[in-house]
Amino acid sequence: MRPVSNGLVELIDDKPDKNSGFFCMNLVVLMWNDEHVNGWDEWHGRFEQSRAGQCPYRDRCQRYEKTIRGLDNSTVQLNLF
């Protein structure tokens, strides 16, 4: 049976998870070494790209290497986060 909130304790299931956090240490390391990334807007933009599954460093990221080849030789990215 699922616990019911009594108003004193916040249950994590009560709120929709539409704004879940995202963090990738590989992304931070790659951005830190990228001389073209300057300022908050560029960092934030690249995090949002990665969160949407379009990491700008997918060609050299160790996490992105963990892919499966489909029958039609297309790459399928696993959901790692």
Side-chain angles (χ1 to χ4, degrees), residues 18-80:
K18 63 182 174 184
N19 204 8
S20 65
F22 170 81
F23 186 80
C24 178
M25 196 62 201
N26 293 80
L27 178 62
V28 171
V29 169
L30 289 165
M31 284 194 301
W32 188 264
N33 294 324
D34 189 349
E35 60 192 37
H36 301 293
V37 179
N38 299 314
W40 165 252
D41 290 335
E42 291 178 25
W43 274 71
H44 183 69
R46 296 201 182 189
F47 260 98
E48 289 301 313
Q49 276 183 291
S50 297
R51 184 180 195 176
Q54 300 296 320
C55 181
Y57 301 103
R58 61 183 167 260
D59 60 333
R60 54 192 146 169
C61 179
Q62 294 172 355
R63 281 189 201 278
Y64 240 86
E65 286 180 15
K66 298 177 182 179
T67 58
I68 299 173
R69 291 278 176 191
L71 293 176
D72 59 353
N73 209 20
S74 63
T75 303
V76 178
Q77 179 64 38
L78 298 173
N79 188 1
L80 300 173

